[in-house]
Amino acid sequence: MVPVEAPYDDRLLHQRVVGGDESALGEVYDRLSPLIFGLSLRVTRDRVIAEDITQEVFLLFWERPLAYDPDRGTLRAWLATIAHRRAVDHVRAEERRRVSALGPRLFEREPVRLEDTVLAADEAERVRQAVTALPDGLREAIELAYFGGRTYRQVGEELGVPEGTAKSRIRLALRRLAVALAEEEV
């Protein structure tokens, strides 16, 4: 397979990062962090781990920018490959840890209690109803941030509001949800 050369802007950003330009790293982060986070989240299914992996990927690029070779491909593909490998490594390590913790009980599974399943489904439905009851602006912000995995900045851009307004809407929505759900003892 013939490598795809990086576009001109990747090369310039790379040169700036190699030169220690923090704003160039910020530009790369702003442009590619949603991809890296989303990819990590899809593989690990854990927001905290996905955030950690995202941070690790950009830290690696900042600390070792010469590891990226623009003649071999795009910066997007290179960072996504690193993120994917780290996410898969995490999942595999977690699986090994779980299996070793189970030891000989590996195939002894506790039956799922019907009561737990019903309670979890009821709780999820109450949360859905509470989110649906929010005013449109708050509901849209919370859905984009928590169900869509968007950053404050991305929520603001998608809703056509400043980033600070997006943050305020998300915080207000979370407060209203907390009150509504506490009243229902969720």
Side-chain angles (χ1 to χ4, degrees), residues 32-50:
L32 298 177
S33 64
L35 167 74
I36 302 305
F37 175 77
L39 177 71
S40 301
L41 183 60
R42 263 193 310 279
V43 173
T44 64
R45 297 181 182 179
D46 184 315
R47 289 184 72 80
V48 173
I49 300 301

Side-chain angles (χ1 to χ4, degrees), residues 14-26:
H14 178 243
Q15 288 172 357
R16 288 173 51 205
V17 170
V18 168
D21 183 350
E22 290 180 23
S23 67
L25 180 64

Side-chain angles (χ1 to χ4, degrees), residues 90-122:
H90 172 79
V91 170
R92 287 178 178 159
E94 187 62 26
E95 183 62 25
R96 281 191 303 273
R97 187 195 61 73
R98 263 198 318 270
V99 168
S100 69
L102 290 174
R105 299 176 302 142
L106 178 62
F107 296 104
E108 295 174 17
R109 295 183 184 227
E110 286 187 37
V112 176
R113 293 181 18 199
L114 179 59
E115 177 183 332
D116 293 340
T117 304
V118 170
L119 288 174
D122 181 54

Side-chain angles (χ1 to χ4, degrees), residues 131-181:
V131 170
T132 302
L134 290 171
D136 288 345
L138 300 181
R139 182 182 40 74
E140 291 169 341
I142 205 81
E143 285 175 344
L144 288 170
Y146 286 90
F147 301 116
R150 309 293 200 297
T151 64
Y152 291 129
R153 180 177 293 153
Q154 292 169 325
V155 170
E157 288 172 2
E158 289 194 35
L159 296 178
V161 299
E163 182 178 343
T165 302
K167 283 183 185 179
S168 296
R169 286 182 183 179
I170 292 167
R171 287 182 183 146
L172 181 57
L174 288 173
R175 272 190 240 122
R176 286 192 181 181
L177 287 172
V179 169
L181 295 172

Side-chain angles (χ1 to χ4, degrees), residues 68-84:
Y68 167 64
D69 181 0
D71 291 332
R72 296 189 61 197
T74 66
L75 184 56
R76 172 187 176 96
W78 185 72
L79 292 174
T81 300
I82 293 170
H84 185 262

